Amino acid sequence: MPQDHSPSLPLLLAGPIIRKCSSDEVVIWLATSEPLQGNVELFSRSSSDEQSQQQTPFFSASIEETVETAYPNRFQIGSKAWIYLLRLPSQLTPDTHYYYDINTQHAPLSQLYPHLCYEGEAKPYFRFTGRADYILHGSCRNPHDPCKDALHTVSKKVAQQLPHERPDLFMMSGDQIYADHVAGPMLAAIHRVISELGLYDETFDKADFTDSKALYQHPSSYYGRKNLLPTFDAQNTPLKGGKNRAIFTSTDSDNHLISFAEFAAMYLLVWSPTLWDNLSLLESQHYRTIFESLPSATQQEWQTEWSALNQFYRGLHDIQRMLAHLPTYMIFDDHDVTDDWNLTAGWEYAAMHQPLAKRIIGNALMGYWFFQGWGNCPEQFDNEFFATVKQYAHQPTKEHHDQFIANLYDYEHWHYTTDTSPKMIVLDTRTQRWRSESNLNRPSGLMDWEALMELQQNILHQEKVLIVSAAPIFGVKFIETLQRIMTWFGKPLMVDAENWMAHPGSANTLLSIFTHSKTPTNYVILSGDVHYSFAYDIHLRSRKSSPNIFQITCSGFKNQFPEPLLTLCDYADTLLYSPRSPLNWFTKRKRLKIRKRHPDQEKYRHLVNSAAVGELKLDKEGKPSYVGIITSSGREVVFAPTVPK
């Protein structure tokens, strides 16, 4: 692969990102190009005293202190790449702002990267409230989608807010990367980063390439990876079908990520501008060499993607700063791995019985753990889990790589809750599926019975609760009907036919939870996934003391649904499934009355097709006092409450 002579690498590759933030701990994630030597400090300032800043830290700890303890705070993933998760045990006071800085062997991060600080501030800070009353949320951020990045737009709003006005937390509900839909220029940047950081190589079984270096140099590596992705011979298996059926069926898989190094490099490039800046990634000779080797038609596609990526990169400085200030939580969805991930039991069977497919999914889970999952609730990972991570980080052999992946496949606690009021329950709707026993090719339920029972235990005797489900629990009925029809014809993968109502067992169990007498009075459900935004008010038809259920969906950060298809679906849903429509009695939600909120100045439409970030404010009872979205153009759209008729 062609190499450019590049300037010295930046110390900070990505981050810092404020992750878990509770009354007794704050967690900071970051990635660096060399091991850190120094300490991390916390300073407090009362939100009522905006102008003063305490100069003496009330908490200071050496970065090296916990490196080799039972719960390590760093792992190496390349010769010049380390991932850190700094867990700072400290008693935090509600409604207080806490400045922090990481003093490195070169200088404090705030001095090395002054763009991390807001204007007039010497250090980055976070606000601890202990509440979840004001939330930014959403999902689906595709770097080369032609629309603007709504995260960049909302980062400008956060910068203009006074410190005590900023959100309690930021919830990313899936598709933080698009592993199955990668632009050619992004893949070229990924490969340059892999080379510069020395991200670990790996070997592959039953593939057209023996190792990751051979993959990067393969003639089909750019815009031809459909030819490299694994197939499955379904003969003599429980699955129906002939030889060599594709496992990864995404329509945009020409540059699908495969190696762990590719996943890791993409995370670094979507969260931080520092590698783009220091390596001049969009202007390098490496880019030109690859571009000139492509057919003319593909060169045109490259140029379009390059323009979108150039715009994406220029917003990363503000986004990096925002993530350094807001407590941020995450959960995976399909595109963090691949479009079909665990859609049916048949798909799972094929993927688990083909070594390359199993490795790709495992590499995606490794990327998710290092860059997302570890920071959500770090105490959930025990010594046995860390042992396999240490093995891989210290000696990335094929055996250690496989053991790490096997451990990730066995892990059953990706879901978590936050210590906030209201409690936020973040669901794993990808690895705890309720598989169809009658037909392996029917969509699986998004959660199995055991997982749903755990959800019920988490919400019993709560007055108010926030539930985060990557896919909407209560979606657009007309679209779900289309998915059901395609499933009936045996084509669930064609329409991504996964929704909560697609599987009778999970649908009926979930609805029974909502109707249980000891569950919360007020539910707020946050979702993304679908590339459009909407809001519902939901009540039980047969009970005067019905719980209040609010379904609020925002998607995507940088993605949109095709038009005019969404407009047609919106009007068809309004026509066929109004609250009084008899067709509702043929759905699994017949016990519920769903009222659709209209967005601003829209009399007939309910769905908003725009890249956006959701904005939610709750009252003391846990009911939404404000439901809106901030579009990538800066327009603020409000979903006003419905008025019962």
Side-chain angles (χ1 to χ4, degrees):
M1 182 181 297
Q3 299 283 324
D4 289 350
H5 176 72
S6 63
S8 59
L9 286 168
L11 172 66
L12 185 66
L13 302 178
I17 302 177
I18 298 294
R19 298 303 318 275
K20 177 189 174 185
C21 190
S22 66
S23 59
D24 56 8
E25 181 181 49
V26 61
V27 175
I28 303 173
W29 179 96
L30 70 159
T32 63
S33 62
E34 57 185 272
L36 293 178
Q37 299 171 19
N39 67 318
V40 58
E41 297 177 330
L42 284 179
F43 306 79
S44 67
R45 183 182 75 177
S46 170
S47 59
S48 62
D49 184 11
E50 300 285 348
Q51 302 304 316
S52 67
Q53 179 177 335
Q54 184 176 326
Q55 298 300 315
T56 303
F58 73 91
F59 175 89
S60 179
S62 168
I63 295 171
E64 298 92 335
E65 279 181 0
T66 58
V67 169
E68 298 299 332
T69 64
Y71 300 102
N73 70 358
R74 83 172 187 204
F75 291 107
Q76 187 173 5
I77 61 170
S79 61
K80 299 177 182 178
W82 281 260
I83 304 297
Y84 278 86
L85 194 75
L86 306 177
R87 299 178 61 181
L88 313 182
S90 185
Q91 295 298 315
L92 303 183
T93 304
D95 294 312
T96 302
H97 298 93
Y98 292 93
Y99 288 88
Y100 68 95
D101 214 344
I102 300 170
N103 300 309
T104 76
Q105 58 268 40
H106 301 292
L109 281 188
S110 60
Q111 295 179 20
L112 292 172
Y113 304 96
H115 74 272
L116 292 173
C117 304
Y118 283 116
E119 185 176 356
E121 301 290 354
K123 295 178 176 63
Y125 60 88
F126 61 93
R127 173 174 172 248
F128 172 70
T129 66
R131 300 186 298 273
D133 293 336
Y134 179 17
I135 296 174
L136 297 178
H137 66 99
S139 70
C140 305
R141 188 162 173 250
N142 186 349
H144 70 278
D145 191 274
C147 64
K148 293 181 179 179
D149 190 352
L151 279 194
H152 182 220
T153 304
V154 82
S155 71
K156 292 184 175 296
K157 175 172 180 173
V158 171
Q160 294 168 357
Q161 292 175 313
L162 294 173
H164 67 275
E165 297 174 337
R166 290 187 181 136
D168 298 314
L169 61 89
F170 182 25
M171 181 68 228
M172 296 184 181
S173 58
D175 299 341
Q176 278 64 260
I177 64 168
Y178 272 66
D180 56 337
H181 190 190
V182 182
M186 175 63 89
L187 189 59
I190 285 170
H191 289 163
R192 176 80 186 285
V193 167
I194 290 171
S195 175
E196 294 290 344
L197 299 182
L199 298 182
Y200 290 151
D201 294 322
E202 62 184 286
T203 58
F204 298 94
D205 293 330
K206 294 190 177 181
D208 292 336
F209 39 89
T210 56
D211 56 29
S212 50
K213 289 181 179 178
L215 166 65
Y216 308 149
Q217 297 169 355
H218 196 283
S220 296
S221 188
Y222 289 90
Y223 297 100
R225 290 196 171 193
K226 281 187 178 180
N227 301 321
L228 303 179
L229 292 173
T231 58
F232 184 70
D233 184 352
Q235 293 185 347
N236 302 317
T237 75
L239 305 181
K240 297 179 181 179
K243 287 187 175 182
N244 299 327
R245 62 190 265 184
I247 298 174
F248 297 86
T249 68
S250 171
T251 56
D252 302 300
S253 60
D254 286 339
N255 294 313
H256 200 300
L257 302 183
I258 292 176
S259 70
F260 166 65
E262 289 179 335
F263 281 94
M266 187 164 193
Y267 276 109
L268 296 174
L269 292 173
V270 300
W271 282 349
S272 172
T274 55
L275 286 168
W276 297 97
D277 288 340
N278 284 66
L279 301 181
S280 301
L281 290 175
L282 290 172
E283 306 297 338
S284 67
Q285 177 61 39
H286 172 55
Y287 258 46
R288 290 189 291 273
T289 302
I290 296 171
F291 174 77
E292 291 168 1
S293 70
L294 300 172
S296 57
T298 308
Q299 286 182 347
Q300 294 177 6
E301 183 178 357
W302 174 291
Q303 292 281 33
T304 301
E305 294 171 342
W306 184 94
S307 297
L309 280 178
N310 189 47
Q311 182 188 59
F312 171 81
Y313 147 65
R314 297 189 186 284
L316 287 175
H317 297 81
D318 291 337
I319 293 169
Q320 184 185 29
R321 180 176 61 180
M322 180 179 71
L323 296 178
H325 288 76
L326 291 185
T328 302
Y329 296 87
M330 308 176 191
I331 191 64
F332 47 47
D333 201 16
D334 50 354
H335 294 290
D336 296 288
V337 178
T338 192
D339 190 35
D340 306 327
W341 187 27
N342 294 346
L343 181 60
T344 67
W347 189 93
E348 286 190 66
Y349 182 93
M352 292 302 100
H353 286 79
Q354 207 291 333
L356 179 58
K358 188 173 183 180
R359 172 61 71 86
I360 294 171
I361 298 165
N363 285 339
L365 287 172
M366 286 173 63
Y368 174 77
W369 185 80
F370 277 118
F371 290 85
Q372 298 192 59
W374 189 13
N376 287 323
C377 195
E379 65 272 17
Q380 292 184 168
F381 304 100
D382 58 18
N383 292 338
E384 183 179 353
F385 186 98
F386 282 120
T388 59
V389 187
K390 284 181 179 180
Q391 282 186 153
Y392 170 78
H394 291 167
Q395 192 176 14
T397 63
K398 183 179 185 300
E399 180 185 6
H400 293 162
H401 197 138
D402 289 340
Q403 287 175 351
F404 188 7
I405 287 176
N407 197 33
L408 292 169
Y409 274 119
D410 291 339
Y411 188 70
E412 297 181 342
H413 216 282
W414 296 113
H415 54 291
Y416 60 94
T417 63
T418 62
D419 183 20
T420 55
S421 178
K423 177 193 291 187
M424 185 169 72
I425 303 170
V426 183
L427 305 180
D428 166 12
T429 60
R430 282 287 161 187
T431 73
Q432 297 180 310
R433 293 279 173 123
W434 193 326
R435 298 164 184 86
S436 173
E437 297 179 1
S438 60
N439 187 334
L440 294 179
N441 292 317
R442 287 191 176 276
S444 298
L446 271 64
M447 288 171 62
D448 60 21
W449 187 85
E450 290 83 0
L452 287 168
M453 290 301 97
E454 184 176 348
L455 167 63
Q456 185 174 42
Q457 290 301 313
N458 269 322
I459 64 178
L460 282 176
H461 307 296
Q462 298 284 325
E463 287 299 316
K464 53 185 178 179
V465 69
L466 273 164
I467 297 176
V468 178
S469 167
I473 291 179
F474 304 102
V476 178
K477 290 182 182 178
F478 179 75
I479 294 176
E480 292 178 354
T481 300
L482 293 179
Q483 292 173 330
R484 185 175 180 182
I485 292 171
M486 294 306 296
T487 298
W488 188 81
F489 280 109
K491 301 291 183 181
L493 299 177
M494 183 179 294
V495 292
D496 200 18
E498 51 190 347
N499 59 72
W500 279 94
M501 300 300 125
H503 185 279
S506 61
N508 292 327
T509 303
L510 183 69
L511 293 174
S512 296
I513 290 173
F514 285 126
T515 58
H516 194 286
S517 61
K518 294 183 180 179
T519 50
T521 303
N522 294 306
Y523 293 91
V524 176
I525 303 164
L526 299 181
S527 299
D529 179 53
V530 291
H531 303 171
Y532 49 85
S533 302
F534 63 91
Y536 293 162
D537 296 337
I538 304 166
H539 294 86
L540 301 181
R541 291 181 182 273
S542 58
R543 265 179 42 189
K544 293 182 179 180
S545 58
S546 168
N548 300 305
I549 305 171
F550 306 92
Q551 167 74 66
I552 302 168
T553 299
C554 180
S555 176
F557 291 146
K558 198 175 189 296
N559 218 328
Q560 293 181 214
F561 203 88
E563 287 287 8
L565 181 58
L566 186 67
T567 298
L568 294 173
C569 290
D570 195 355
Y571 285 127
D573 189 70
T574 299
L575 178 66
L576 298 175
Y577 292 101
S578 66
R580 298 179 183 275
S581 169
L583 292 178
N584 289 311
W585 292 98
F586 296 95
T587 70
K588 296 182 180 69
R589 296 179 244 171
K590 53 183 174 288
R591 288 178 282 172
L592 305 176
K593 177 175 282 189
I594 298 177
R595 293 190 175 91
K596 307 166 188 175
R597 293 194 178 199
H598 291 280
D600 278 345
Q601 301 176 349
E602 290 285 353
K603 185 176 181 181
Y604 300 105
R605 294 206 60 168
H606 303 95
L607 310 180
V608 177
N609 193 12
S610 175
V613 175
E615 189 174 23
L616 170 68
K617 297 179 181 179
L618 304 177
D619 63 19
K620 292 181 179 180
E621 295 179 342
K623 295 180 182 179
S625 59
Y626 178 89
V627 177
I629 59 174
I630 304 166
T631 70
S632 57
S633 65
R635 186 166 67 103
E636 297 194 5
V637 180
V638 178
F639 291 87
T642 57
V643 179
K645 295 181 180 179

